[in-house]
Amino acid sequence: MSQSTPIDELVAVMAKLRDPEGGCPWDREQTFESIVPHTLEEAYEVADAIEKGDRAAICDELGDLLFQVVYYAQLGSEEGAFDLNTVAAGVRDKMIRRHPHVFGERTLHTAAEQRETWEAIKAIERADRGEPARASALDGVPMALPALTRSAKLQARAAKVGFDWPDIAPVFGKIREELEELEQAVADNTNVAEELGDLLLATVNLARKLKVDPEQALREGNRKFERRFSALEDILSNAGEALETASFERLEAAYQLAKAAEKPNLPE
């Protein structure tokens, strides 16, 4: 008799949580739709642990994310639609199918060739499933993606069919143009959100041209701001000043001190 694996035991734990008789009331109430926000949160917690370089936290957060997959598999099993083995077998077969240069006899030499092969195989898979051919080059980019990530993917799709600046210089010009239009919109008090969206779109395009993930760049910017603002709070606290009563000028000066403190000491 084969010994159970941790995965087997995790599946059994999930089944127990969903048991109609002795399970957890909260877990029994959940549906595919209701746990989506938890899945997204767990995915971001994995990203956060990776950014911090905390291997123990990465392991822990990956466990939480894995549990989300097991949760969906349990729901699918209860409906008779699929189980965890079906999910694993499906992705195993997909990876083998989409990497003929690794598991087959085809030879690819560059990442660009791999991307082209990947997209071609995906198109064949869609046809085999009876899905209609994409009417637009932008079809298939999930609506649920974070807006920055989705914008980058939409613009990358457009670039593949030639809708792209030849180099980076015009992108800076486009950003300046959009900024001027936003300033005018603010002055006129009209279409401000629309013009701000255009500016963000142009900025994401710049990130794409620079080969920078805009979502990751903003996450790193947020982390930097949090670190410096925390230092600002320490500066005021050490000076016996209250954050709530300090003037903006004082807050800005403290922020600049915090910023300067991060710079390495240069030799005189």
Side-chain angles (χ1 to χ4, degrees):
M1 186 176 190
S2 60
Q3 186 176 6
S4 64
T5 67
I7 290 291
D8 296 328
E9 293 166 1
L10 179 58
V11 170
V13 166
M14 183 69 255
K16 180 64 176 175
L17 289 172
R18 290 276 300 177
D19 184 79
E21 300 298 329
C24 170
W26 186 89
D27 285 291
R28 290 200 305 263
E29 292 177 357
Q30 301 315 303
T31 65
F32 281 102
E33 293 77 14
S34 71
I35 61 174
V36 167
H38 302 285
T39 307
L40 296 175
E41 181 180 346
E42 296 299 352
Y44 278 113
E45 289 183 359
V46 169
D48 187 58
I50 291 173
E51 289 168 9
K52 292 175 179 175
D54 188 335
R55 294 297 188 263
I58 293 171
C59 180
D60 184 60
E61 298 300 346
L62 283 174
D64 291 342
L65 185 58
L66 174 61
F67 186 71
Q68 298 296 306
V69 176
V70 172
Y71 213 131
Y72 290 116
Q74 175 64 28
L75 294 174
S77 178
E78 292 170 7
E79 294 181 358
F82 58 84
D83 60 13
L84 189 60
N85 285 328
T86 313
V87 173
V91 71
R92 174 202 64 202
D93 294 345
K94 182 191 297 183
M95 290 302 103
I96 292 173
R97 187 169 61 247
R98 292 185 182 178
H99 292 82
H101 55 296
V102 177
F103 300 102
E105 297 180 355
R106 184 167 182 174
T107 301
L108 298 177
H109 299 288
T110 67
E113 289 178 322
Q114 160 59 14
R115 285 192 294 271
E116 291 177 5
T117 299
W118 183 277
E119 291 300 329
I121 293 173
K122 285 174 65 176
I124 293 171
E125 291 171 352
R126 288 193 294 270
D128 289 343
R129 292 194 298 267
E131 297 178 9
R134 286 176 173 166
S136 167
L138 305 183
D139 285 351
V141 180
M143 289 292 295
L145 288 173
L148 288 177
T149 299
R150 189 165 191 271
S151 179
K153 287 184 176 293
L154 288 171
Q155 294 186 59
R157 289 280 188 89
K160 283 184 179 179
V161 295
F163 189 70
D164 194 17
W165 299 106
D167 53 60
I168 201 169
V171 183
F172 286 106
K174 184 64 175 175
I175 289 175
R176 285 189 286 269
E177 174 190 327
E178 296 297 352
L179 181 58
E180 290 174 2
E181 292 182 4
L182 176 59
E183 289 175 337
Q184 187 60 53
V186 171
D188 296 340
N189 194 29
T190 181
N191 299 328
V192 172
E194 179 182 343
E195 296 300 341
L196 179 58
D198 291 344
L199 176 59
L200 290 171
L201 195 74
T203 304
V204 170
N205 194 24
L206 175 62
R208 184 184 62 82
K209 297 292 280 187
L210 292 171
K211 294 181 170 52
V212 172
D213 182 338
E215 189 75 24
Q216 183 66 22
L218 184 55
R219 287 173 62 85
E220 292 175 359
N222 288 339
R223 190 167 62 251
K224 181 192 296 182
F225 177 76
E226 288 177 305
R227 183 176 66 246
R228 290 176 177 175
F229 194 85
S230 178
L232 172 159
E233 292 175 312
D234 290 340
I235 290 170
L236 292 183
S237 177
N238 292 336
E241 301 176 54
L243 181 68
E244 295 76 14
T245 57
S247 66
F248 172 74
E249 290 73 19
R250 174 57 176 141
L251 294 174
E252 174 63 16
Y255 189 85
Q256 292 302 322
L257 283 174
K259 181 178 177 181
E262 291 185 348
K263 295 180 180 179
N265 293 325
L266 298 177
E268 297 182 358

